[in-house]
Amino acid sequence: MITRMSTLFLRTLREDPADAEVPSHKLLVRAGYVRRVGPGVYSWLPLGLAVFRRVEQVVREEMNAIGAQEILFPALLPREPYEATNRWAEYGPALFRIKDRKGADYLLGPTHEELFTLTVKGEYASYKDYPVMLYQIQTKYRDEERPRAGILRGREFVMKDSYSFDLDDDGLADSYRKHRDAYRTIFDRVGLRYVIVAATSGAMGGSASEEFLAESETGEDTYVRSTGSDYAANVEAVVTRAPEAQSVDDKPAAEVHHTPDTPTIETLVDFLNSTGERKFTAAETLKNVLVKTRQPGSDEWSLLAVAVPGDREVDFKRVEAALEPAQVELLTEADFAANPFLVKGYIGPKALQDNKVPFLVDPRIVTGTAWVTGADKPDHHVVDLVCGRDFTPDGTIEAAEVLEGDPSPDGTGTLESARGIEVGHIFQLGRKYSDTFGLDALGQDGKPKRITMGSYGVGVSRLVAAIVEQNHDRDGLVWPREVAPADVHMVMAGKDDTVRDTAERLAAELDDAGVRVILDDRASSPGVKFADAELVGVPTILVVGKGLANGVVEVKDRRSGERTEVAVDEIVDHLRAL
Amino acid sequence: MITRMSTLFLRTLREDPADAEVPSHKLLVRAGYVRRVGPGVYSWLPLGLAVFRRVEQVVREEMNAIGAQEILFPALLPREPYEATNRWAEYGPALFRIKDRKGADYLLGPTHEELFTLTVKGEYASYKDYPVMLYQIQTKYRDEERPRAGILRGREFVMKDSYSFDLDDDGLADSYRKHRDAYRTIFDRVGLRYVIVAATSGAMGGSASEEFLAESETGEDTYVRSTGSDYAANVEAVVTRAPEAQSVDDKPAAEVHHTPDTPTIETLVDFLNSTGERKFTAAETLKNVLVKTRQPGSDEWSLLAVAVPGDREVDFKRVEAALEPAQVELLTEADFAANPFLVKGYIGPKALQDNKVPFLVDPRIVTGTAWVTGADKPDHHVVDLVCGRDFTPDGTIEAAEVLEGDPSPDGTGTLESARGIEVGHIFQLGRKYSDTFGLDALGQDGKPKRITMGSYGVGVSRLVAAIVEQNHDRDGLVWPREVAPADVHMVMAGKDDTVRDTAERLAAELDDAGVRVILDDRASSPGVKFADAELVGVPTILVVGKGLANGVVEVKDRRSGERTEVAVDEIVDHLRAL
């Protein structure tokens, strides 16, 4: 089918939309691919839908290639399964909740773990049925607090979500690997530059998890990568390399100092260094930060202390990720008042442990390390408090901020920060959902075997935007061929009959040869047509115009800008070869 | 791709689901095509999704063939456009309404007239831009009071909805005709028996409108058709053939009779026939029925009188359709008490017209016809009250029930009743939406021209069920080839290596030849495999088994049951020819 600009439902815009900040948002609107309907809610116009369908088809083909089977769930889902997994509550205001005419509770599905688990349970019973991988390409809903950047972070969007069901951990690892490979193929095929980062689990519980991030300065996701290796991870997932434990025997005894007016690390270090001969750095101090946590479904808050070296801040997002699915908050003044053993600015391990507050420490705080920390009374600190001798942590926690220049967890290079757009996520869920719904297979030995699951997502609509973030220039979109809305954008440059007839004939021949053509047959000026061709971003621009006098047409490569003259007789073969 | 029963996510059921009443619901569940998630909310399993996608593709191809352009709107829509057209209120409890985290009102789109109108207004400005036809294949939501019959009447379902935008009525008529032709092609291609019936407008306002009904005894839509012609119509749309008006001059004078204890037509006729020589029939009496109506957006109810010949009941659905978009209710006792001129059982035209109650009559009540009717006091009726002499109606209304045997409105044959499933609806909206949103094109004369619209829907998911209602037998589904989930269902009947090797080889050859194969490679007994093949309903069943000893395989036509033996060497060509 030839797409004719004269009738195509497309009007390009000269100006960027006022609400657009990132290139994909600006260009997809300007080139007439998408239109805003409401905050985070967009419609796809013909060219946009064409690209979207191409991307969708790549995802579908690669899912089928690993033996995953496509099914389709509704978006409107009853509350009960999400109540059973507690996600009805956990999702908070990000879940669109809805009541039907009878007052029954429904939600618009954000992901479908519950439904897939129940469906497999409904069909399968025996170990012989497994393994199975199922997927859908489906519209999802999340009531984002700040929908932004057009289709990059929408409230209605399309995801491919798949789920694997295996009898054992080896099977899960295999399904996970298959998805990982399929995702690499998908992102390679659509021409994306991406990194695979170790990730935390999000609200879904479970163990191994990686994210596919499209490299992009406009991305919302910050990650760190090693300067010396392939290592990349979400900041939340960075694992601190712990030093070796040391002997506690040769350490000086702990000593309480009067340190007037030193409620901060900086004032403390300054005071110590100005009053004694021994010099301290902030890295030798221990900062004890109090939070309160609440388990899902519980009403009760508990205190928790987190200790990090004083030269680093506590990264609250890392704390949240480490303590998930518990809810975490900072203490209020009322909390301090209710716990008078907490002496603000001077909190030390002793009072915490005496008062049974769980005490988790940064992995750098190993046995034998000595610290300057609070002495649990105003204006006093203790020096040479030795871990494993003077205090014993209840465990470690990844709570300290990650800094550029930190050693890479894999031992090679140091960490640097980068930004990306999350386009895929693979995740070993384990038995969280099969436990909730009792998904068992009857084993060969006649005993029930609990199924283990993986969950895998590709943001299909977001992927369109991510591709644009990496493939555009100041003139417009520059589509990778695999996802382009057409193969050739033919410009009729001239109004005489020879131009028109030749263009029409070539378009028909290309169409017959399976080449997808946009034909600019409008009455507009060549300048308008050229500008629109650049903006629309089809990989090859074909100009039928003055050259005809010499028997040639001009082929322009949209990405490189390179122009070639090709004989009219050879142009169909030439373009088919691309 | 070969679909293997050994790994296909499919478990057939021997029993009908307890909640299923109609064949499509029973069989689509039993054959593992769909599963219930909640009331009116279903998931598509692999084979169901395959059929659904085939049907969707037929619809898409025929829409593209008439030059309609595909776009895609969100389902989550802001309230404002639907407020502007009053549909936010008019839809009543059938609309899923939703509040986002900021308290803003949204709805789940039941149809998208508002959005299409606004989108065209956003892109197009000049008469040169028109006409345009746009469509989408998209998930829709209606909170049905009684979702039923599986995917036949769901609350989440997929529709193809398209909209035409024209400069004038001729253009609209052309767009309407194109859609009508495309719909005929669509329903022909998917093998549906259907009728096109004249329809009322539903909640959408406008003029010409036809429905495509799949003929089915299980259908919810009742319609009438002529025994002597192609005429078919919804009962609400049947137009009564009015008799010729007569002279009033030669009619006897109206006369009030004391008719004690005759509050019903039957008692009245009996009384008159038992007390006088002149004999009356119910058809000569005039029944005056009072309703109250309220215009959309108004709080005020008004009285309205509807008169029909006494041998017919008032059909309330026809009254509602005739008065749409007004709301209609019967009077309460309180209403009668508040209007003492209404003498129940004895209401006549005089009191109604004296009290300025609008008085609409059945089209059979023409000038010169004489009637027995109420005399506006208890136990009294008037005889020979002549229309056009003794009373003058304010207009006509299609309020009387349509009866089998009534003359067909087209003058040929009589009407009989039938049932069908609405699978398509085409509708000349006119300027209702373009008026609301001010959708104008700048005309050649420099003046704005109001655009006129058509709206056209195909129930894509419902169509799958309608096809099943017409294509099944006691053994299971019987798919028309165009929409079948596969072309050939190959049964390995036997466990020896020859059977397996031959089946595998043939499956591979068929796959190479572009024939879509389901291969039953399970360890199950031939009986189980045959039963599943019948239930699943692929058009051709190929049995690879004992016949191999003689170099043949068996081909069974699922619909006719006819069996043929074909040489192994020839089977691929044989099947490709189907």
Side-chain angles (χ1 to χ4, degrees):
Chain A
M1 203 171 62
I2 300 164
T3 302
R4 288 170 183 280
M5 290 289 275
S6 60
T7 51
L8 181 62
F9 189 66
L10 170 74
R11 292 297 177 266
T12 57
L13 309 175
R14 301 213 179 281
E15 304 291 330
D16 288 333
D19 63 334
E21 288 167 11
V22 302
S24 64
H25 187 187
K26 290 177 187 169
L27 287 171
L28 288 171
V29 171
R30 278 190 52 208
Y33 280 62
V34 304
R35 287 292 179 260
R36 182 181 184 275
V37 168
V41 183
Y42 282 76
S43 55
W44 297 89
L45 299 193
L47 292 184
L49 188 58
V51 171
F52 173 76
R53 294 281 185 231
R54 302 273 292 182
V55 172
E56 183 185 33
Q57 188 55 25
V58 169
V59 174
R60 177 173 289 124
E61 286 168 9
E62 298 307 328
M63 283 296 105
N64 292 343
I66 59 167
Q69 300 183 54
E70 188 174 3
I71 67 179
L72 184 59
F73 276 103
L76 182 69
L77 301 174
R79 167 178 177 162
E80 291 72 21
Y82 287 76
E83 190 70 60
T85 57
N86 204 37
R87 294 214 297 171
W88 175 265
E90 270 174 32
Y91 250 103
L95 196 67
F96 281 109
R97 294 174 182 82
I98 197 167
K99 274 193 193 298
D100 77 359
R101 67 195 297 153
K102 291 181 177 153
D105 282 322
Y106 285 79
L107 59 98
L108 298 179
T111 59
H112 281 62
E113 281 78 358
E114 288 81 352
L115 275 293
F116 274 85
T117 310
L118 285 168
T119 298
V120 170
K121 183 179 160 86
E123 307 300 313
Y124 277 4
S126 158
Y127 73 97
K128 293 181 198 164
D129 297 328
Y130 292 90
V132 66
M133 296 190 288
L134 300 173
Y135 76 99
Q136 62 175 348
I137 298 176
Q138 195 251 8
T139 306
K140 301 259 180 288
Y141 296 86
R142 289 188 202 158
D143 196 355
E144 297 282 353
E145 194 168 357
R146 277 176 292 274
R148 67 181 276 275
I151 57 170
L152 208 48
R153 179 174 289 278
R155 300 198 292 171
E156 174 173 326
F157 55 97
V158 175
M159 252 182 82
K160 186 284 298 175
D161 51 332
S162 46
Y163 304 88
S164 63
F165 299 85
D166 281 281
L167 290 168
D168 53 34
D169 294 349
D170 285 350
L172 171 57
D174 189 50
S175 299
Y176 184 89
R177 186 190 49 72
K178 282 182 179 152
H179 272 88
R180 195 175 197 276
D181 291 346
Y183 279 27
R184 296 183 64 138
T185 311
I186 289 167
F187 298 127
D188 287 343
R189 280 185 64 185
V190 302
L192 203 72
R193 293 191 312 280
Y194 62 93
V195 291
I196 304 176
V197 303
T200 51
S201 58
M204 294 187 286
S207 48
S209 170
E210 287 168 296
E211 284 174 7
F212 291 73
L213 301 184
E215 296 172 26
S216 170
E217 282 173 21
T218 60
E220 284 196 310
D221 288 276
T222 306
Y223 67 99
V224 290
R225 60 189 173 205
S226 168
T227 55
S229 73
D230 281 346
Y231 176 85
N234 272 350
V235 170
E236 288 86 340
V238 170
V239 177
T240 305
R241 283 170 70 88
E244 297 262 314
Q246 304 164 26
S247 166
V248 299
D249 297 342
D250 54 349
K251 297 288 181 298
E255 200 174 276
V256 174
H257 288 235
H258 182 227
T259 53
D261 221 10
T262 57
T264 66
I265 298 293
E266 198 184 0
T267 51
L268 170 63
V269 171
D270 283 352
F271 176 85
L272 291 173
N273 289 348
S274 65
T275 53
E277 272 179 34
R278 194 166 149 199
K279 299 300 171 197
F280 294 88
T281 67
E284 291 163 278
T285 67
L286 191 64
K287 178 156 49 180
N288 302 299
V289 175
L290 269 287
V291 297
K292 54 184 178 178
T293 69
R294 184 166 69 170
Q295 292 303 318
S298 162
D299 288 337
E300 216 149 302
W301 290 97
S302 317
L303 290 183
L304 173 71
V306 166
V308 300
D311 60 336
R312 288 173 193 263
E313 295 301 324
V314 166
D315 182 334
F316 199 69
K317 285 178 88 173
R318 277 170 52 82
V319 173
E320 283 184 312
L323 297 175
E324 217 171 11
Q327 202 181 337
V328 188
E329 285 189 6
L330 292 172
L331 298 204
T332 61
E333 288 300 327
D335 293 320
F336 279 104
N339 294 284
F341 63 91
L342 298 173
V343 184
K344 271 178 96 173
Y346 302 92
I347 298 171
K350 185 163 189 315
L352 296 170
Q353 301 208 291
D354 286 351
N355 287 281
K356 310 259 184 271
V357 178
F359 182 57
L360 301 179
V361 301
D362 182 85
R364 294 173 190 85
I365 301 160
V366 294
T367 298
T369 51
W371 303 91
V372 179
T373 190
D376 299 311
K377 57 181 179 179
D379 295 339
H380 286 77
H381 282 87
V382 55
V383 172
D384 288 324
L385 199 74
V386 172
C387 180
R389 182 189 70 185
D390 304 322
F391 67 99
T392 308
D394 296 311
T396 61
I397 184 168
E398 292 290 352
E401 64 183 331
V402 174
L403 298 174
E404 298 225 2
D406 280 351
S408 175
D410 70 350
T412 311
T414 58
L415 296 179
E416 63 179 12
S417 178
R419 299 181 77 84
I421 299 164
E422 185 189 337
V423 289
H425 193 176
I426 55 178
F427 188 45
Q428 297 193 15
L429 274 178
R431 298 180 176 79
K432 171 174 173 174
Y433 290 90
S434 50
D435 280 346
T436 301
F437 296 111
L439 176 60
D440 291 327
L442 192 65
Q444 201 160 6
D445 56 4
K447 290 181 190 155
K449 206 163 162 42
R450 186 63 31 107
I451 296 300
T452 182
M453 291 169 57
S455 131
Y456 316 92
V458 171
V460 181
S461 44
R462 174 182 290 180
L463 187 49
V464 173
I467 293 168
V468 174
E469 289 296 328
Q470 294 185 355
N471 295 277
H472 66 272
D473 60 22
R474 58 175 200 174
D475 295 326
L477 302 164
V478 185
W479 291 110
R481 200 166 283 278
E482 176 92 26
V483 301
D487 300 308
V488 174
H489 189 125
M490 196 189 309
V491 173
M492 278 185 189
K495 296 190 174 178
D496 60 276
D497 288 350
T498 324
V499 168
R500 178 162 296 271
D501 294 348
T502 309
E504 289 284 355
R505 179 172 58 79
L506 291 178
E509 288 178 25
L510 287 167
D511 188 43
D512 285 346
V515 177
R516 298 169 305 142
V517 179
I518 292 176
L519 175 61
D520 197 344
D521 57 346
R522 293 177 297 174
S524 325
S525 75
V528 166
K529 293 183 181 185
F530 291 140
D532 276 349
E534 302 283 334
L535 182 56
V536 162
V538 168
T540 304
I541 299 170
L542 178 67
V543 184
V544 179
K546 285 181 298 197
L548 286 184
N550 305 318
V552 297
V553 290
E554 185 183 276
V555 176
K556 179 176 178 188
D557 183 79
R558 172 66 185 91
R559 190 176 295 270
S560 68
E562 197 185 326
R563 296 159 190 270
T564 331
E565 294 201 329
V566 178
V568 173
D569 304 345
E570 292 162 18
I571 186 66
V572 172
D573 286 341
H574 179 90
L575 293 176
R576 196 159 44 177
L578 301 176
Chain B
M1 203 172 61
I2 300 164
T3 303
R4 290 172 183 277
M5 289 289 274
S6 60
T7 51
L8 181 61
F9 188 65
L10 171 74
R11 290 297 177 266
T12 58
L13 308 175
R14 303 214 176 283
E15 305 290 333
D16 289 332
D19 64 333
E21 287 167 11
V22 302
S24 64
H25 187 184
K26 290 177 187 170
L27 287 171
L28 288 171
V29 171
R30 277 190 50 208
Y33 280 61
V34 303
R35 288 291 181 260
R36 182 181 185 274
V37 169
V41 183
Y42 282 77
S43 56
W44 297 90
L45 299 194
L47 292 184
L49 187 60
V51 171
F52 173 77
R53 294 281 184 230
R54 301 274 292 181
V55 172
E56 183 185 34
Q57 188 55 23
V58 169
V59 173
R60 176 174 290 125
E61 285 169 11
E62 299 306 328
M63 284 296 103
N64 292 344
I66 61 169
Q69 300 182 55
E70 187 173 3
I71 66 177
L72 184 60
F73 276 104
L76 182 69
L77 302 172
R79 167 178 177 161
E80 292 71 21
Y82 286 78
E83 189 71 58
T85 57
N86 204 36
R87 295 213 298 170
W88 174 264
E90 271 175 32
Y91 250 103
L95 197 67
F96 282 107
R97 296 175 181 80
I98 197 165
K99 273 194 193 299
D100 77 358
R101 67 195 299 153
K102 291 181 176 154
D105 281 321
Y106 286 78
L107 58 97
L108 298 180
T111 61
H112 282 63
E113 280 79 357
E114 287 82 352
L115 275 291
F116 274 86
T117 310
L118 286 169
T119 299
V120 171
K121 184 179 159 85
E123 307 300 314
Y124 278 4
S126 157
Y127 73 96
K128 294 180 198 164
D129 297 327
Y130 292 90
V132 65
M133 298 190 286
L134 301 172
Y135 77 99
Q136 62 175 347
I137 298 177
Q138 194 251 6
T139 305
K140 301 260 180 288
Y141 296 85
R142 288 186 203 160
D143 196 357
E144 297 282 353
E145 194 168 357
R146 276 176 293 275
R148 65 179 278 275
I151 56 171
L152 208 47
R153 179 173 288 278
R155 300 198 292 172
E156 173 171 327
F157 54 97
V158 175
M159 254 182 81
K160 186 284 300 176
D161 51 331
S162 45
Y163 304 88
S164 64
F165 299 84
D166 281 281
L167 290 167
D168 52 33
D169 295 349
D170 286 350
L172 171 56
D174 189 50
S175 299
Y176 184 87
R177 185 189 50 71
K178 281 182 179 152
H179 272 89
R180 195 177 197 274
D181 291 346
Y183 279 28
R184 295 182 65 138
T185 311
I186 289 167
F187 297 128
D188 287 343
R189 280 184 64 184
V190 302
L192 204 73
R193 295 190 311 281
Y194 62 94
V195 292
I196 304 177
V197 303
T200 51
S201 58
M204 292 185 286
S207 49
S209 170
E210 288 168 296
E211 284 174 7
F212 290 72
L213 301 184
E215 296 173 25
S216 169
E217 283 172 18
T218 60
E220 282 196 313
D221 288 277
T222 305
Y223 67 101
V224 291
R225 59 187 172 203
S226 169
T227 55
S229 74
D230 281 345
Y231 176 85
N234 271 353
V235 170
E236 287 85 342
V238 169
V239 178
T240 305
R241 284 171 68 87
E244 298 262 313
Q246 304 164 29
S247 164
V248 300
D249 298 341
D250 53 350
K251 297 289 182 297
E255 199 173 274
V256 172
H257 288 235
H258 181 226
T259 54
D261 218 11
T262 56
T264 67
I265 298 292
E266 198 184 1
T267 53
L268 171 62
V269 170
D270 283 352
F271 176 85
L272 291 173
N273 287 351
S274 66
T275 53
E277 270 177 37
R278 191 166 151 201
K279 298 300 173 200
F280 293 87
T281 66
E284 290 163 279
T285 67
L286 191 64
K287 179 156 49 180
N288 302 299
V289 174
L290 269 290
V291 297
K292 54 183 180 180
T293 68
R294 186 166 69 170
Q295 293 303 319
S298 161
D299 288 338
E300 217 150 301
W301 290 95
S302 316
L303 291 182
L304 173 71
V306 165
V308 299
D311 61 336
R312 286 174 195 265
E313 298 299 326
V314 165
D315 182 334
F316 198 71
K317 284 179 87 171
R318 274 167 57 80
V319 173
E320 283 184 311
L323 297 176
E324 211 168 18
Q327 201 182 339
V328 189
E329 285 189 8
L330 293 171
L331 298 203
T332 60
E333 288 301 328
D335 293 319
F336 278 103
N339 294 286
F341 63 92
L342 298 173
V343 184
K344 270 179 96 174
Y346 302 91
I347 299 170
K350 185 162 188 319
L352 295 170
Q353 301 207 290
D354 286 351
N355 287 280
K356 309 261 187 266
V357 178
F359 183 55
L360 302 179
V361 301
D362 182 87
R364 294 171 190 86
I365 301 161
V366 293
T367 299
T369 51
W371 303 92
V372 180
T373 192
D376 297 313
K377 56 181 176 177
D379 294 339
H380 284 78
H381 282 89
V382 56
V383 172
D384 288 324
L385 197 75
V386 170
C387 181
R389 182 189 72 187
D390 305 322
F391 69 98
T392 306
D394 295 312
T396 61
I397 183 169
E398 293 290 351
E401 63 183 334
V402 175
L403 299 175
E404 298 226 1
D406 280 350
S408 174
D410 70 351
T412 309
T414 57
L415 295 179
E416 63 178 14
S417 177
R419 300 180 78 84
I421 299 164
E422 185 188 337
V423 289
H425 193 176
I426 55 178
F427 188 44
Q428 297 192 15
L429 274 178
R431 297 180 177 80
K432 171 174 173 171
Y433 291 89
S434 49
D435 281 347
T436 301
F437 295 110
L439 174 60
D440 291 328
L442 192 67
Q444 200 158 9
D445 56 5
K447 290 180 188 155
K449 208 164 161 43
R450 183 68 26 114
I451 295 300
T452 182
M453 291 170 55
S455 131
Y456 316 91
V458 170
V460 182
S461 45
R462 175 182 287 181
L463 187 49
V464 174
I467 293 168
V468 174
E469 289 296 327
Q470 294 184 354
N471 295 278
H472 67 273
D473 60 22
R474 59 175 196 170
D475 294 326
L477 302 164
V478 185
W479 292 110
R481 199 165 285 277
E482 177 92 26
V483 300
D487 300 307
V488 173
H489 189 123
M490 195 188 312
V491 173
M492 279 185 190
K495 297 192 173 178
D496 59 275
D497 288 351
T498 325
V499 168
R500 177 161 297 269
D501 293 349
T502 309
E504 289 284 356
R505 178 172 57 81
L506 291 178
E509 288 179 24
L510 287 167
D511 188 44
D512 285 347
V515 178
R516 297 169 304 141
V517 180
I518 293 177
L519 174 61
D520 196 345
D521 57 346
R522 294 176 295 173
S524 325
S525 74
V528 166
K529 293 183 180 183
F530 291 141
D532 277 348
E534 303 283 334
L535 182 57
V536 162
V538 168
T540 303
I541 299 169
L542 178 67
V543 183
V544 179
K546 284 181 302 199
L548 287 184
N550 306 317
V552 297
V553 291
E554 186 183 274
V555 176
K556 180 178 177 185
D557 183 80
R558 172 68 184 89
R559 190 176 294 270
S560 69
E562 198 184 327
R563 294 160 190 271
T564 331
E565 292 199 330
V566 178
V568 174
D569 303 345
E570 292 162 19
I571 187 64
V572 173
D573 287 341
H574 179 90
L575 294 176
R576 195 159 43 178
L578 299 178

